[in-house]
Amino acid sequence: MKALLVIAHGSRKASSNQEVADLADKLKQQSSPFKLITHGFLELTTPKVPDAVAELVKGGATEVTILPYFLAAGMHVTEDLPELLAQAKADYPQVDFTLLEHLGAADLMPSWILQQASAN
Amino acid sequence: MKALLVIAHGSRKASSNQEVADLADKLKQQSSPFKLITHGFLELTTPKVPDAVAELVKGGATEVTILPYFLAAGMHVTEDLPELLAQAKADYPQVDFTLLEHLGAADLMPSWILQQASAN
């Protein structure tokens, strides 16, 4: 069973964290290959990433795609996320984890920006 | 003449700032209604937003669409950007400035994330 985990930094501002939770809710409403979708934070708020991973595995996920919801490859993306990936693989060797590039590196980002800028 | 200004936070990490500059270069290579495209930063590096605005106006821009390249509506988005907008309007009353919502609030964000997650 395929699952999607969206990882964000986490903020002291509750509304910013809520934006990520709302995004995960919207993702669940769309048709996709992912039977389970959730979000996890690195810092400052919950659910933390290991708890989000545990929830997905408990729900039956066998393939987990991890999308870093970051625009820039700062230390969180280049160091923290590979560490979390290694830990997840060690904790759940029966699960196939795939860590994608951060969202800002998406080949389609220029197209998305122009879509957004032209629509308004 | 329509112009697009992508505003990012700015980082101490040069490679993160370069990601934004590279993004602006890719935007310029795409077909779009924007004859001029550039980027500006809020903090920590250059070009700063007022200089980016000045460059666009000097280049002949009469309509400037401003896209906040942020995933969350933190204080930079909710306070700094409206102030920068007000200053730009005061400095160049002949130019039509439109401040879009931050990228994370785009209606299409869930679709973009699923595009990215399904492609990999």
Side-chain angles (χ1 to χ4, degrees):
Chain A
M1 185 196 289
K2 284 178 188 264
L4 175 62
L5 170 59
V6 176
I7 299 183
H9 184 275
S11 170
R12 284 184 186 81
K13 198 169 171 182
S15 61
S16 292
N17 299 327
Q18 190 58 47
E19 281 187 79
V20 178
D22 290 347
L23 176 65
D25 284 340
K26 286 178 193 164
L27 287 168
K28 289 174 195 168
Q29 291 160 21
Q30 301 220 354
S31 162
S32 84
F34 303 105
K35 298 300 172 204
L36 292 173
I37 298 179
T38 194
H39 65 287
F41 295 103
L42 293 184
E43 294 182 1
L44 300 169
T45 186
T46 57
K48 289 287 196 304
V49 171
D51 296 326
V53 171
E55 178 204 324
L56 293 175
V57 174
K58 193 176 171 191
T62 54
E63 296 176 47
V64 178
T65 298
I66 302 172
L67 186 124
Y69 192 58
F70 288 80
L71 291 178
M75 275 186 38
H76 294 298
V77 168
T78 59
E79 297 184 17
D80 297 354
L81 291 183
E83 277 178 28
L84 285 164
L85 175 67
Q87 188 62 52
K89 286 182 171 177
D91 290 344
Y92 309 103
Q94 77 281 16
V95 177
D96 183 20
F97 292 95
T98 304
L99 176 61
L100 303 182
E101 280 195 298
H102 62 292
L103 192 67
D107 288 341
L108 287 168
M109 182 55 79
S111 301
W112 296 336
I113 285 180
L114 287 175
Q115 263 183 288
Q116 181 67 2
S118 307
N120 287 275
Chain B
M1 183 195 293
K2 284 179 189 267
L4 175 62
L5 171 59
V6 176
I7 298 183
H9 184 276
S11 170
R12 283 183 187 82
K13 197 171 173 178
S15 62
S16 292
N17 300 327
Q18 190 59 46
E19 281 188 82
V20 178
D22 290 347
L23 176 65
D25 283 339
K26 287 178 192 165
L27 287 168
K28 289 174 195 168
Q29 291 161 21
Q30 301 221 355
S31 161
S32 85
F34 304 106
K35 299 299 172 206
L36 292 174
I37 298 179
T38 195
H39 64 288
F41 295 103
L42 294 184
E43 293 181 1
L44 300 170
T45 187
T46 57
K48 289 288 196 304
V49 171
D51 296 325
V53 170
E55 177 204 322
L56 293 175
V57 174
K58 193 176 170 191
T62 54
E63 297 175 46
V64 177
T65 298
I66 302 172
L67 185 123
Y69 192 58
F70 290 79
L71 290 177
M75 274 184 41
H76 294 297
V77 169
T78 59
E79 298 184 17
D80 297 351
L81 291 183
E83 276 178 30
L84 285 165
L85 175 68
Q87 188 61 51
K89 286 182 171 177
D91 289 343
Y92 309 103
Q94 77 282 17
V95 177
D96 183 20
F97 291 95
T98 303
L99 176 61
L100 303 182
E101 280 194 298
H102 62 293
L103 192 67
D107 288 341
L108 286 168
M109 182 55 79
S111 300
W112 295 338
I113 285 180
L114 288 175
Q115 263 183 288
Q116 181 68 0
S118 306
N120 288 274

